Amino acid sequence: MTFDPHPTAWTFALDQRATHSSIVATGNESGPIFMTPETVSVHAQTFARTTSTPADVAALLQLSVDLLGTSVIHYEFAALAMEKSLQAVEAALRYRFTAGKNTTFSRLVARFERETDPEPDVVETLTFARELRNMAAHPMTAPAFPIVVTVSSVRRSHDLVAEIFPEL
């Protein structure tokens, strides 16, 4: 038995559904980066972060990264990682506009578009994030996304929060 910084790996076998998956899209010029606790940790260091992000939102983003790391052992945690990252996007908009729980995510996206003049792809991605969050919050089925989609979604959620709370 080898000891590493991930104590759950001492007890549980790594989940082959995760460890046999690349965390990044691959093409002709790049090979896969297989999911391990170390590769997730290193890759997560490249995710956008700003010091102006509210602590509660930053905590949700960090939780999503922690859940991604845990999904190497428990594949199902990848879905929770994506859900928490999408909740962080919604929470960021609520903080930005001091919006209560009765303000819909859709209205928050519309307000962000109206008041900040973002690039069109940011609004499109926010809209998609809202749709994904709704699908996760009100499931009709239990979809399973490939790890690469989950990692990409968590990364993009970090990007969106950085757009909502840019560096001062």
Side-chain angles (χ1 to χ4, degrees):
M1 178 183 300
T2 61
F3 295 98
D4 62 24
H6 306 282
T8 54
W10 302 341
T11 309
F12 300 101
L14 297 179
D15 192 320
Q16 290 185 1
R17 292 173 291 179
T19 59
H20 287 90
S21 298
S22 179
I23 62 173
V24 296
T26 59
N28 293 335
E29 297 164 15
S30 65
I33 299 174
F34 291 107
M35 189 170 201
T36 66
E38 292 76 23
T39 59
V40 171
S41 178
V42 168
H43 191 65
Q45 295 304 312
T46 68
F47 294 176
R49 291 175 173 81
T50 63
T51 57
S52 59
T53 300
D56 291 346
V57 175
L60 279 170
L61 291 173
Q62 184 57 52
L63 178 58
S64 72
V65 169
D66 293 345
L67 287 165
L68 260 181
T70 304
S71 69
V72 175
I73 299 161
H74 302 289
Y75 180 80
E76 294 78 10
F77 281 34
L80 293 172
M82 187 170 76
E83 183 179 6
K84 292 303 169 192
S85 72
L86 295 167
Q87 287 173 353
V89 173
E90 182 178 5
L93 288 169
R94 289 190 187 288
Y95 270 95
R96 172 80 185 256
F97 299 118
T98 318
K101 64 181 179 178
N102 293 330
T103 305
T104 65
F105 198 168
S106 182
R107 285 190 180 143
L108 292 167
V109 171
R111 186 170 175 189
F112 184 77
E113 181 178 18
R114 201 173 48 251
E115 294 183 20
T116 67
D117 192 34
E119 295 295 321
D121 67 313
V122 172
V123 175
E124 183 179 324
T125 305
L126 276 169
T127 300
F128 184 65
R130 180 187 59 79
E131 291 168 357
L132 271 178
R133 200 276 298 150
N134 286 345
M135 186 176 69
H138 311 289
M140 297 291 285
T141 63
F145 295 104
I147 289 293
V148 68
V149 171
T150 302
V151 173
S152 176
S153 296
V154 171
R155 168 189 282 287
R156 193 62 182 124
S157 292
H158 278 75
D159 293 344
L160 288 170
V161 170
E163 289 278 344
I164 296 165
F165 284 100
E167 201 65 69
L168 300 175

